[in-house]
Amino acid sequence: SCQVRPESEVWIIYGDGSLGYTIAEFDTFTRHKTPVIALVGNDACWSQISREQVPMLGSNVACALSFSDYHVVAEGFGGKGFLLKREDEDKMDAIIKEAQEESRKIGRA
């Protein structure tokens, strides 16, 4: 963790469904100046549920989510949000480097 090994870079990898349960933790991260990089895969679906539900029930009812702007939510909690779309794949390295630098700034604060 950031507190035990402050020199370590901490990443959390979320799906958009799982992030919905824990998104308020971004408030905790910023209040405690905890440098965390969160990567959110946003497919607007409870895909883990849908993957089993469709073959069993023939429907993915209640599995669809919205394409939410999680980078904006992170900023609402005082963090720094980045958006990486499929068409921005050529910018991925630069965006990740910028996120890492932002995280280091927090760790030094």
Side-chain angles (χ1 to χ4, degrees), residues 62-82:
C63 292
L65 301 172
S66 296
F67 281 102
S68 297
D69 291 329
Y70 296 108
H71 61 293
V72 175
V73 175
E75 291 185 359
F77 282 120
K80 175 71 177 163
F82 299 91

Side-chain angles (χ1 to χ4, degrees), residues 1 4 12 23 32 42 47 49 54-55 71 75 85 102 108:
S1 96
V4 176
I12 303 173
I23 198 153
H32 293 284
N42 189 354
S47 296
I49 304 302
V54 171
H71 61 293
E75 291 185 359
K85 294 183 176 185
E102 287 293 325
R108 292 188 294 255

Side-chain angles (χ1 to χ4, degrees), residues 50-61:
S50 184
R51 200 173 15 254
E52 294 180 19
Q53 180 175 310
V54 171
M56 289 184 343
L57 304 175
S59 169
N60 72 343
V61 67

Side-chain angles (χ1 to χ4, degrees), residues 11-102:
W11 286 68
I12 303 173
I13 301 174
Y14 291 104
D16 52 339
S18 66
L19 183 62
Y21 285 111
T22 60
I23 198 153
E25 289 300 334
F26 285 103
D27 176 62
T28 303
F29 300 150
T30 54
R31 272 189 293 114
H32 293 284
K33 297 183 178 10
T34 305
V36 172
I37 298 171
L39 180 65
V40 181
N42 189 354
D43 65 354
C45 184
W46 289 98
S47 296
Q48 180 181 356
I49 304 302
S50 184
R51 200 173 15 254
E52 294 180 19
Q53 180 175 310
V54 171
M56 289 184 343
L57 304 175
S59 169
N60 72 343
V61 67
C63 292
L65 301 172
S66 296
F67 281 102
S68 297
D69 291 329
Y70 296 108
H71 61 293
V72 175
V73 175
E75 291 185 359
F77 282 120
K80 175 71 177 163
F82 299 91
L83 178 62
L84 179 62
K85 294 183 176 185
R86 187 175 303 275
E87 58 267 18
D88 297 329
E89 190 173 344
D90 60 322
K91 300 174 189 168
M92 182 168 53
D93 289 342
I95 291 171
I96 289 173
K97 283 183 171 79
E98 189 176 352
Q100 289 171 312
E101 183 54 38
E102 287 293 325

